[in-house]
């Protein structure tokens, strides 16, 4: 189902509300809240519990190379810490760090500031932790808990944008994996599944607008990065049927790694990009797993009649950096 025009309008409203300090749209109308709450309780009973409440400790230096390590920070929620895995090597942060080390031919010093269960409102403390490590690149995965906790979208987007601005001001490049499509999660039944899918994509589009405006770039998680999660849930989801499996985290890491390397100028930007206004690109990216959105200029101008100019690259889910 394609909601691009409506998602674009919603992204604009949420971004405007965030900029003005307003609450913006609520996730659900009061008339449907009781029904959806009942569905959520059923889903909670159906979803198992992952291994522990946090991912395995992953801070450290990765890559058997000489030279001064690149400094990378990972922020966000349970996906950022690899909840459900027991081996640090299976977490997305370590997978990205290893890939970055190979491309840069330098070791990577990784600091993981993310926390399971975190919402965008908690990014401030994580940025405090990350900045102590003076990161050159910061990766943020956040949004799912803003959906499940009924956070106001504009409130969540405002906190994310503030986090990106602080990191950029400190000199770090920033790549944000936007809110995944929670409609992919099988234990969530209708109509909650449809509503969470719609709101997840609206939030992801608004996140894209906010992040690009703050100087970062985004990678669309959409339906958790491809048809594999929808067609092979037993392989791509962990035992709790909510968080990714080791194979799922590998898919996520390979989707984000090319954008991390591009942000650090470790290889030329791909030529196969299209230029759009920011709101349309944000809506399109919310529907396209792995799509990257970043700021650009057209005829020397950063903005056009419909907002900031951006470029959108449709990366294939699971692609390796040398495929870019």
């Amino acid at each position: 189902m394609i909601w691009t025009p409506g998602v674009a309008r919603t992204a604009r409203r949420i971004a405007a509300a965030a900029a003005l300090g307003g609450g913006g749209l609520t996730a659900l109308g009061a008339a449907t809240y009781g029904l959806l709450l009942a569905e959520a309780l059923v889903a909670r009973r159906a979803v198992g519990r992952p291994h522990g409440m946090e991912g395995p400790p992953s801070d450290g230096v990765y890559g058997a190379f000489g030279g001064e390590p690149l400094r990378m920070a990972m922020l966000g929620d349970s996906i950022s810490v690899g909840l459900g895995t027991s081996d640090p090597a299976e977490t997305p942060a370590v997978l990205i760090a290893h890939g970055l080390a190979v491309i840069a031919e330098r070791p990577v010093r990784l600091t993981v500031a993310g926390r399971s269960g975190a919402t965008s409102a908690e990014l401030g403390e994580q940025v405090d932790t990350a900045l102590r490590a003076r990161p050159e690149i910061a990766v943020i995965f956040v949004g799912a808990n803003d959906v499940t906790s009924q956070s106001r979208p504009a409130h969540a987007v405002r906190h994310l944008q503030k986090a990106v601005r602080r990191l950029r001001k400190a000199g770090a490049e920033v790549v944000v994996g936007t809110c995944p499509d929670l409609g992919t999660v099988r234990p969530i039944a209708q109509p909650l599944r449809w509503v969470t899918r719609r709101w997840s994509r609206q939030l992801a589009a608004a996140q894209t607008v906010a992040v690009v405006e703050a100087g970062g770039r985004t990678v669309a998680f959409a339906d958790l990065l491809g048809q594999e999660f929808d067609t092979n849930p037993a392989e791509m989801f962990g035992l709790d049927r909510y968080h990714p499996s080791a194979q799922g985290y590998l898919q996520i890491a390979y989707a984000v790694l090319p954008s991390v390397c591009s942000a650090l100028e470790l290889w030329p930007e791909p030529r196969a990009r299209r230029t759009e206004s920011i709101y349309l690109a944000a809506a399109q990216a919310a529907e396209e797993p792995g799509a990257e959105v970043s700021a650009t200029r057209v005829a020397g101008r950063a903005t056009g009649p419909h907002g900031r100019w951006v470029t959108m690259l449709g990366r294939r889910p699971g692609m390796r950096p040398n495929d870019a």
Side-chain angles (χ1 to χ4, degrees), residues 113-202:
R115 189 182 67 80
S116 178
T119 64
S120 297
E122 298 169 63
L123 287 174
E125 293 181 4
Q126 295 186 21
V127 172
D128 292 340
T129 300
L131 289 181
R132 288 195 286 270
R134 299 179 297 112
E136 296 164 80
I137 180 72
V139 180
I140 304 175
F141 296 163
V142 75
N145 294 316
D146 292 300
V147 174
T148 59
S149 66
Q150 299 294 295
S151 299
R152 290 181 179 270
H155 181 73
V157 167
R158 188 163 59 248
H159 282 288
L160 174 59
Q161 187 172 60
K162 182 178 179 180
V164 174
R165 283 179 171 157
R166 288 182 61 197
L167 290 162
R168 293 291 291 129
K169 185 177 180 180
E173 298 292 336
V174 182
V175 176
V176 175
T178 57
C179 181
D181 180 356
L182 296 181
T184 308
V185 180
R186 293 298 178 88
I188 298 178
Q190 299 290 13
L192 180 60
R193 190 173 180 184
W194 184 89
V195 173
T196 54
R197 165 160 288 174
R198 185 177 181 88
W199 193 45
S200 297
R201 296 197 177 193
Q202 290 176 342

Side-chain angles (χ1 to χ4, degrees), residues 46 55 69 91 139 217 222 226 234 237 247:
T91 64
V139 180
R217 63 180 70 198
F237 284 102
Q247 183 63 34

Side-chain angles (χ1 to χ4, degrees), residues 73-130:
M74 174 65 82
L75 302 84
D77 54 24
S78 56
I79 294 179
S80 76
V81 300
L83 185 65
T85 65
S86 57
D87 184 350
E90 296 178 342
T91 64
V94 173
L95 289 166
I96 294 170
H98 271 302
L100 179 57
V102 170
I103 298 300
E105 296 184 345
R106 289 172 57 185
V108 173
R109 186 180 302 278
L110 173 64
T111 300
V112 178
R115 189 182 67 80
S116 178
T119 64
S120 297
E122 298 169 63
L123 287 174
E125 293 181 4
Q126 295 186 21
V127 172
D128 292 340
T129 300

